[in-house]
Amino acid sequence: MRTLITAISMTIALTLLTGIVYPLVVWGVAQVLFPWQANGSLVVRDGHVVGSEIIGQNFAAARYFHPRPSAAGDKGYDASNSGGSNLGPTNQKLVETTKAEVHKVLEENPGTSAAQVPIDMVTASGSGLDPEISPAAAELQITRVAKSRGLSEAAVREVVRNNRRPRLAGFFGEPGINVLDLNLALDRLGTGAR
């Protein structure tokens, strides 16, 4: 009987400590030290949330830069179902999906050859929600975006250049471009500017 009371007491104590106290402490510290990040890094435009700085979302219109494909959820870009496809490089489904994505990129960006398509334009990231594309992926889309918006390629290229993130500390990781930030910058630029 004493063992049972000890077991129940420990279960209650650990549940309170690890299930309530610890999460509240972590939440409180995050709210004080990193409030923007702790609340989802939400981007607000004209008083409305338009996305998150750290979660990729789908942009399909020709006037926007397109993100990496997503394997999160049945239709992709489902933040509640984040995850990669877990398919290996020899998996037939991955091969077929990649071929279909290459075809889609070539169709959306006329004059591009398959050899010019960066790998991040045709494969999902590990989370399926990568908010960034490579500078090469952005470069590939400049002509389409400029034509669709009635802008010069030079103007769109300048916006891309201004939104490029360098390597962390000059040597960690690869340069990248946040797709949401880039598309919002283009929207602020407007259309028809030559």
Side-chain angles (χ1 to χ4, degrees):
M1 184 69 170
R2 184 176 177 156
T3 306
L4 180 61
I5 291 172
T6 303
I8 291 172
S9 299
M10 289 302 296
T11 300
I12 291 170
L14 286 173
T15 299
L16 290 172
L17 183 65
T18 61
I20 297 173
V21 174
Y22 178 74
L24 285 174
V25 169
V26 170
W27 176 82
V29 169
Q31 291 300 319
V32 171
L33 298 178
F34 310 104
W36 188 70
Q37 294 91 333
N39 292 308
S41 304
L42 300 177
V43 176
V44 179
R45 182 173 163 207
D46 300 327
H48 300 289
V49 174
V50 294
S52 171
E53 190 83 13
I54 57 173
I55 298 175
Q57 60 191 52
N58 194 16
F59 287 94
R63 60 186 281 113
Y64 289 115
F65 282 86
H66 297 173
R68 291 184 76 160
S70 173
D74 293 338
K75 297 177 183 170
Y77 307 100
D78 179 359
S80 67
N81 195 7
S82 175
S85 66
N86 293 327
L87 302 176
T90 59
N91 183 285
Q92 192 57 38
K93 183 177 178 185
L94 178 64
V95 171
E96 289 170 9
T97 302
T98 304
K99 284 180 182 178
E101 289 293 338
V102 169
H103 179 73
K104 179 180 165 190
V105 170
L106 296 177
E107 200 172 77
E108 291 172 346
N109 300 282
T112 304
S113 71
Q116 294 173 298
V117 178
I119 193 71
D120 63 314
M121 288 302 299
V122 295
T123 57
S125 66
S127 70
L129 295 167
D130 192 342
E132 293 188 339
I133 57 175
S134 66
E139 181 67 32
L140 176 108
Q141 300 179 68
I142 287 174
T143 301
R144 171 182 44 82
V145 171
K147 182 178 178 184
S148 178
R149 287 180 175 265
L151 296 168
S152 69
E153 288 187 27
V156 174
R157 189 169 277 109
E158 182 66 22
V159 175
V160 169
R161 189 177 307 115
N162 291 337
N163 281 276
R164 183 179 170 150
R165 177 194 49 77
R167 294 172 185 243
L168 182 64
F171 58 91
F172 286 117
E174 293 297 322
I177 299 169
N178 185 291
V179 178
L180 177 61
D181 289 343
L182 177 60
N183 287 332
L184 289 175
L186 282 169
D187 284 347
R188 283 190 299 274
L189 183 65
T191 58
R194 298 236 178 229

